[in-house]
Amino acid sequence: QVHLVESGGGLVQAGGSLRLSCAFSGRYLGTYAMGWFRQTPGKEREFVARIRWNSGITFYLDSVKGRFTISRDNAKNTVDLQMNSLNPEDTAVYYCAATPKVPFTTAASDYTYWGQGTQVTVSS
């Protein structure tokens, strides 16, 4: 089975930083893309960032460009999301996900494997 576990969420003041980590186990990720999504109550699950495992090519939600950085560590089998200059609008449960559908997809429905989420709360 494929298993994803997020960590690193917490409470931070506006302007602060957090680093989320997603640990992968169960399968080789070479042909996959890894994504971060977020969700608040009453809202659709929102794409945040994506990275292709092999190439490292990244793609971001417009509102997080320049503030968030997604990266992967081949040795540790982890995908991280460094979040800087956090805003209260960034408050959400953040989910790690994986998909074998690599080209450009940002749709949650295209992602096959999901972690259980980690809470990020940004106070004003």
Side-chain angles (χ1 to χ4, degrees):
Q1 63 177 3
V2 175
H3 187 59
L4 304 173
V5 179
E6 305 97 333
S7 62
L11 174 64
V12 64
Q13 291 186 335
S17 298
L18 286 172
R19 187 176 183 88
L20 306 183
S21 183
C22 175
F24 169 89
S25 65
R27 282 202 176 190
Y28 175 59
L29 291 176
T31 61
Y32 278 60
M34 305 293 296
W36 285 96
F37 292 77
R38 64 189 182 187
Q39 190 166 28
T40 56
K43 299 289 186 179
E44 297 285 331
R45 189 164 295 185
E46 180 183 41
F47 167 80
V48 176
R50 176 178 58 85
I51 186 168
R52 296 183 185 180
W53 187 260
N54 278 342
S55 69
I57 294 172
T58 59
F59 187 73
Y60 296 92
L61 174 69
D62 284 345
S63 65
V64 309
K65 289 179 180 177
R67 300 190 298 120
F68 291 10
T69 303
I70 188 171
S71 61
R72 82 256 200 272
D73 188 322
N74 301 63
K76 297 180 180 179
N77 272 4
T78 60
V79 176
D80 295 340
L81 186 69
Q82 178 66 46
M83 304 186 295
N84 299 325
S85 301
L86 284 162
N87 305 314
E89 293 83 358
D90 297 316
T91 295
V93 176
Y94 282 71
Y95 296 89
C96 178
T99 178
K101 186 178 180 180
V102 173
F104 305 115
T105 184
T106 60
S109 60
D110 287 333
Y111 284 73
T112 306
Y113 307 105
W114 292 86
Q116 292 185 319
T118 185
Q119 177 70 48
V120 172
T121 302
V122 185
S123 62
S124 60

